[in-house]
């Protein structure tokens, strides 16, 4: 098919494999706080396109072990503090490579349990910031570790539901603006804990479908520009609540492909901008969810943002409507 020829998959693989190899690059040095997440984005992308062998598994296992702290949490790289965000990324990498036994899972469980607050929310780290992103990170990580029973689930659910807004969406805290990224986190959280029936799916589906702009791309909230990463946050949320048909997937596919860099490989937020691993992964996961290139991209799980076969292997069955 002509459309298949437009996705320069080999260039994108080369872009990811070579990204960051030149360590004196300014962009690399100022983004060390994202290193664990960047590794997750890259590993997941390579697995989705059948190229996981292009990374050295032993090096990655060593990196994971080196960045698990005595508290049990993971930091993004050497010299940084542990955080729930990077702890989830580390476990996702370990699950993809099937090396969970290489990390101290019991210490990690204790670390996560210790971050739950009296109202059911989760702090991201010892410094105490509260955000619904961290609620998702906590339950997603614990589900991989078969330890969801170690937290107060009902209080955790109550907190996330308190962040639901009149428009059907969710914010980072009670009373804050709905945002597609937070919606994904909260809907994913409720999916893992089998509470999706508490979402107003028609209202939320309407809000999410309104994120598609004439270009075919999606934005994260009203009056903002489209960004290829919302091909994941919005589409995954629609997939979880059973409303994916409410957007024009063909137009979205055209927009996503228009964001690839035909010279260097990789995807950017909008056509003509600089590509990076973050937008590259979420371009491909969006394409996977809308079944745009089924012969080239594996199925992705809409809750965990990992290849579906990995989630099946882990025995996880999050709720989908």
């Amino acid at each position: 098919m002509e459309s298949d020829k437009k996705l320069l998959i080999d260039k994108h693989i080369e872009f990811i494999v070579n990204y960051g190899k030149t360590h004196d690059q300014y962009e690399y040095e100022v983004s060390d706080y994202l290193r664990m997440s960047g590794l997750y984005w890259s590993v997941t992308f390579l697995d989705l396109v059948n190229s996981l062998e292009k990374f050295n598994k032993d090096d990655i296992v060593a990196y994971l072990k080196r960045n698990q702290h005595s508290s049990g949490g993971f930091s993004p790289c050497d010299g940084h503090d542990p955080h729930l965000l990077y702890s989830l990324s580390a476990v996702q990498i370990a699950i993809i490579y099937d090396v969970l036994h290489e990390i101290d899972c019991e210490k990690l469980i204790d670390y996560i349990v210790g971050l739950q607050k009296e109202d059911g929310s989760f702090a991201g780290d010892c410094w105490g910031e509260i955000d619904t992103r961290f609620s998702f990170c906590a339950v997603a990580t614990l589900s991989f570790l078969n330890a969801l029973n170690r937290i107060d689930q009902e209080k955790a659910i109550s907190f996330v539901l308190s962040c639901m807004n009149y428009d059907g969406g969710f914010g980072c805290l009670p009373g804050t603006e709905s945002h597609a990224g937070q919606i994904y986190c909260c809907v994913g959280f409720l999916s893992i804990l089998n509470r999706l029936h508490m979402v107003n799916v028609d209202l939320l589906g309407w809000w999410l479908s309104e994120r598609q702009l004439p270009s075919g791309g999606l934005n994260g909230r009203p009056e903002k520009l489209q960004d290829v990463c919302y091909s994941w946050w919005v589409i995954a949320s629609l997939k979880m609540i059973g409303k994916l048909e409410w957007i024009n997937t063909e137009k979205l596919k055209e927009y996503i492909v228009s964001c690839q860099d035909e010279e260097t490989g990789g995807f950017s937020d909008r056509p003509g901008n600089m590509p990076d691993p973050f937008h590259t992964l979420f371009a491909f996961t969006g394409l996977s969810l809308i079944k745009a290139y089924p012969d080239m991209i594996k199925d992705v799980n809409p809750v965990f943002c990992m290849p579906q076969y990995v989630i099946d292997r882990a025995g996880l069955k999050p709720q989908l409507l």
Side-chain angles (χ1 to χ4, degrees), residues 34-281:
L34 289 173
R35 200 68 41 75
M36 187 69 77
S37 296
L39 186 57
Y40 153 70
W41 300 329
S42 300
V43 165
T44 303
F45 164 78
L46 290 176
D47 197 0
L48 286 171
V49 296
N50 297 293
S51 297
L52 192 57
E53 77 285 350
K54 292 185 179 292
F55 275 178
N56 185 298
K57 178 179 176 178
D58 292 339
D59 288 347
I60 289 175
V61 170
Y63 187 82
L64 294 179
K65 295 173 76 170
R66 190 169 73 246
N67 285 286
Q68 184 171 24
H69 289 238
S70 58
S71 65
F74 286 82
S75 60
C77 68
D78 299 340
H80 284 250
D81 292 335
H83 195 286
L84 265 178
L85 290 172
Y86 312 120
S87 297
L88 173 58
S89 292
V91 168
Q92 288 173 302
I93 294 165
I95 291 287
I96 287 174
Y97 278 106
D98 201 16
V99 293
L100 199 57
H101 59 278
E102 295 279 2
I103 65 176
D104 192 330
C105 294
E106 193 57 39
K107 272 192 174 182
L108 178 55
I109 292 168
D110 289 341
Y111 173 75
I112 297 169
V113 170
L115 291 172
Q116 188 173 27
K117 302 304 178 183
E118 181 60 31
D119 64 356
S121 66
F122 283 84
D125 58 17
C126 65
W127 304 109
E129 180 187 6
I130 305 297
D131 190 308
T132 47
R133 290 179 301 156
F134 310 148
S135 294
F136 172 77
C137 289
V139 301
T141 307
L142 290 174
S143 66
F144 286 122
L145 303 175
N146 194 29
L148 282 170
N149 63 319
R150 298 277 292 274
I151 59 169
D152 190 326
Q153 295 184 35
E154 294 308 316
K155 279 190 175 182
I157 292 165
S158 178
F159 173 75
V160 167
L161 290 176
S162 74
C163 299
M164 187 188 299
N165 292 320
Y166 70 91
D167 56 15
F170 292 83
C172 59
L173 294 166
T176 57
E177 180 184 12
S178 295
H179 185 282
Q182 304 294 150
I183 288 170
Y184 162 78
C185 289
C186 293
V187 174
F189 168 96
L190 294 171
S191 169
I192 293 169
L193 295 182
N194 201 35
R195 294 295 196 283
L196 274 184
H197 59 278
M198 293 181 162
V199 175
N200 185 332
V201 294
D202 287 339
L203 186 59
L204 179 57
W206 167 81
W207 191 94
L208 290 167
S209 63
E210 285 291 306
R211 305 281 60 77
Q212 189 164 36
L213 300 178
S215 66
L218 303 159
N219 63 16
R221 49 199 170 114
E223 304 302 322
K224 297 296 182 179
L225 294 175
Q226 64 270 30
D227 185 324
V228 83
C229 74
Y230 293 110
S231 306
W232 172 255
W233 313 115
V234 172
I235 298 304
S237 300
L238 286 169
K239 178 69 174 178
M240 284 187 269
I241 64 173
K243 302 295 182 183
L244 186 54
E245 73 277 8
W246 284 16
I247 61 121
N248 186 326
T249 56
E250 189 58 36
K251 287 276 289 182
L252 175 59
K253 173 184 172 183
E254 292 174 6
Y255 177 76
I256 294 173
V257 174
S258 75
C259 294
Q260 68 182 340
D261 190 311
E262 296 185 356
E263 294 184 12
T264 67
F267 283 75
S268 57
D269 54 352
R270 287 177 282 279
N273 289 347
M274 288 290 291
D276 58 70
F278 175 86
H279 290 95
T280 301
L281 172 64

Side-chain angles (χ1 to χ4, degrees), residues 275-309:
D276 58 70
F278 175 86
H279 290 95
T280 301
L281 172 64
F282 294 127
F284 271 80
T285 53
L287 290 170
S288 176
L289 284 178
I290 63 175
K291 307 293 185 184
Y293 298 90
D295 296 334
M296 302 169 70
I297 310 171
K298 294 176 183 174
D299 288 341
V300 67
N301 182 272
V303 178
F304 293 105
C305 195
M306 296 164 67
Q308 182 61 48
Y309 86 91

